[in-house]
Amino acid sequence: MIIPCLVLAMLTLLPFAGARAAAGDVNAGREKARLCAPCHGQNGISSRPGIPSLAGQRDQFLQWQLVFFRSGRRPNPVMVPILAKLSDRDIRDLGAYFASLPPNTQPAATRPDEALRARGQAIVAQHHCANCHTDSFRGERAAASLANQRQDYLVKALTDYRSAARPSVGVAAMTEAASGLSDDDIAAIATYLAMLGPAGR
Amino acid sequence: MVFRPGYLGLLATLPLLSAPALSPVGAKAAELKSYDSSKPSFWQHPPPDWFLGDETEAQKGLAPPSGPALPTPPDELQADLKRIKLPPGFRIEVYASGLPEARQMAWGKDGTLYVGSFNATNVYAVKDVGGKREVKTILKGLNMPTGVAYLDGALYVVAIDKLLRYDNPEANLDHMPAPVVVYDDMPHYVAHGWKYLVVDKNGWMYIPFGPPFNIGIPPTSVSQIRHVDPKTGLAEIVALGVRNSVGGDIDPRTGDYWFTENARDWISDDLPSDKLNHITRLGQHFGYPYCHQGDLPDPKFARGHKCSEFTPPVLKLGAHVAPLGMKFYTGSQFPAQYKDNIFIAEHGSWNRHKYQGGRIERVIVDPSGKSARQEVFASGWITGDRDYFGRPDDILQAPDGSLLVSDDWAGAIYRISYKK
């Protein structure tokens, strides 16, 4: 049972043939990302509460968020004014750059609350999160990488999805998935995802 | 590794179960999913697993693909279209680009083309200015405004639970007037709540209402097609037992309404087939959720019903091809044998191991729905096993008899024309 699942998971992670001509330019993105470093970290790994790490985040997810900030559909007093004038090219370059950085793979350093972590794992299973975010929770396409993201940021993100304060991509999957979560559920999920080990457990 | 909740529960309780509890009847009852649609909370928050939940371990990981965040740039679109295969004499070109998540199209006055969108919340106007198309975002912030129509000098937009009318839009493209809500007796959930508008010769509109889940016993207000008079707000139910329909057209030969329908998910890669349907009698039931593709009783929800109780499709279009917008061809640019044929935009699979659809089908059928046959008209938007560079979702005939095709993946509109 485990082996076929792993094979399937690996198949779904295979890169797609034929990279698009419109893919962003990592070097151009590095230049454009200088403004981002004070908050999101020099290597895209944030040490600031409530601010997400972007290193190794999925290119497509990043681009969607930049599009949402640019149009104001994802309201944020800091991000919206900074990003209002981004061009499509800027968005592609920034997405490519942050996706190219090695992600944080260190589980959150706080002492694990085992019961909370286990509860988070159960909720994540119950909601089929891995269906889009993959078994490793490193994401795929427009589904975000979640593993070892900042715990406080995961709480903020889920809370914002729950209240529809931020939009979801495509068929509104996150708005719906988060709609029934309690504050305790969100704390448990964030604990589990922030503390994931390298093997995704 | 994620187990389905039911499976996990079964594993956890397995050692405690006595033999009789494992009888087939008990197992069946445990598998049967039930949604409590009797409370308003159901309408507020459809079950979070409405598009998942029924998948098997082998189908895990087949999640809805999101398109690119940005529309495909024009030069790249031109290159992509070289891969599209068409019958001899036909050619495809970019008509307009830069329309994120472009969906249904409708012609307004003075050559203005209106285009809805999916999650982009926008409605666009496209105008031909000296042979170049200018795209303007005329409405923003609407809730999945997928369906648009034009009638008596007004633009109609359907956005999940409201049918909106914008008067004299051509004179106000830069500052659209506040809409008049002409019909809102619609549930406000989003799941399968995105719609399509087809106007008949009396000015009434056919509007589909999809169920807020993959499969289940639908609440009474959905799984149907209504016929709505936008002048008075009067509505009648013309078809029942319809799952997710996001396309249809009126047969110019008879005035009958034909529509495409997306079948349930998670049975297999090859079952059940999506459908082309034809309403011949008021109130016909097309089978959902009891029977699929006219001849396949649902493994859970058939509940004693036989497929012979329901109206079968005119044509099985194939599993997971996702037929959306469709049009009868009434123009004279294409060869004579295309007259009154149906063109169907197939959006393509999202949860089949190897995608299919993502193309335009041609259906040749007589007005009664008999002797239908289909062939691929335009294909090539699928790359590899599970990726796209475009997904056709609607078709509209242009005044010169060419066909426009909208693509919500590339955020573009193409034109297919014919020259001997």
Side-chain angles (χ1 to χ4, degrees), chain B residues 58-69:
Chain B
Q59 292 165 328
K60 192 161 110 27
L62 299 173
S66 293

Side-chain angles (χ1 to χ4, degrees), chain B residues 36 47 56 127 133 147 152 168 212 334 356 371 397:
Chain B
D36 181 2
T56 63
K127 292 205 75 164
R133 258 69 59 183
D152 299 335
N168 194 17
F334 290 8
Q356 58 185 13
S371 59
Q397 193 178 305

Side-chain angles (χ1 to χ4, degrees), chain B residues 23-105:
Chain B
S23 68
V25 176
K28 232 177 193 150
E31 278 173 21
L32 189 66
K33 184 143 114 185
S34 69
Y35 290 115
D36 181 2
S37 58
S38 64
K39 296 184 178 66
S41 58
F42 180 88
W43 303 102
Q44 309 269 350
H45 301 294
D49 60 350
W50 72 271
F51 60 92
L52 299 172
D54 293 323
E55 78 277 21
T56 63
E57 273 297 318
Q59 292 165 328
K60 192 161 110 27
L62 299 173
S66 293
L70 296 163
T72 308
D75 52 338
E76 193 175 322
L77 281 172
Q78 301 282 7
D80 285 345
L81 289 185
K82 295 203 176 90
R83 295 192 252 178
I84 302 303
K85 289 197 193 83
L86 284 160
F90 289 90
R91 68 185 288 252
I92 185 166
E93 66 199 305
V94 179
Y95 180 76
S97 63
L99 303 89
E101 301 182 66
R103 296 285 290 211
Q104 192 179 0
M105 301 174 284

Side-chain angles (χ1 to χ4, degrees), chain A residues 9 12-13 58 128-141 143-146 196 200, chain B residues 2 60-61:
Chain A
T12 61
L13 286 174
R58 293 293 162 184
H128 306 267
C129 304
N131 251 69
C132 299
H133 294 280
T134 76
D135 284 342
S136 68
F137 295 99
R138 294 273 164 210
E140 185 181 27
R141 303 197 200 195
S145 172
L146 307 171
L196 278 172
Chain B
V2 179
K60 192 161 110 27

Side-chain angles (χ1 to χ4, degrees), chain B residues 327-350:
Chain B
K327 284 290 180 298
F328 284 89
Y329 186 74
T330 59
S332 50
Q333 184 186 97
F334 290 8
Q337 61 268 30
Y338 284 85
K339 191 88 173 172
D340 299 325
N341 288 178
I342 302 172
F343 288 101
I344 301 176
E346 291 184 351
H347 203 217
S349 316
W350 65 270

Side-chain angles (χ1 to χ4, degrees), chain B residues 102-177:
Chain B
R103 296 285 290 211
Q104 192 179 0
M105 301 174 284
W107 288 109
K109 263 198 305 209
D110 311 326
T112 308
L113 178 73
Y114 296 101
V115 187
S117 72
F118 197 70
N119 200 21
T121 79
N122 302 332
V123 174
Y124 311 100
V126 183
K127 292 205 75 164
D128 192 302
V129 182
K132 285 199 160 186
R133 258 69 59 183
E134 282 185 8
V135 177
K136 200 169 266 187
T137 302
I138 58 168
L139 297 169
K140 287 182 181 179
L142 293 170
N143 191 12
M144 296 223 173
T146 46
V148 294
Y150 194 88
L151 178 64
D152 299 335
L155 169 67
Y156 288 83
V157 177
V158 66
I160 301 291
D161 58 354
K162 285 180 184 61
L163 178 60
L164 306 166
R165 189 187 80 220
Y166 297 86
D167 293 319
N168 194 17
E170 287 81 11
N172 298 290
L173 293 179
D174 290 314
H175 188 76
M176 288 286 278

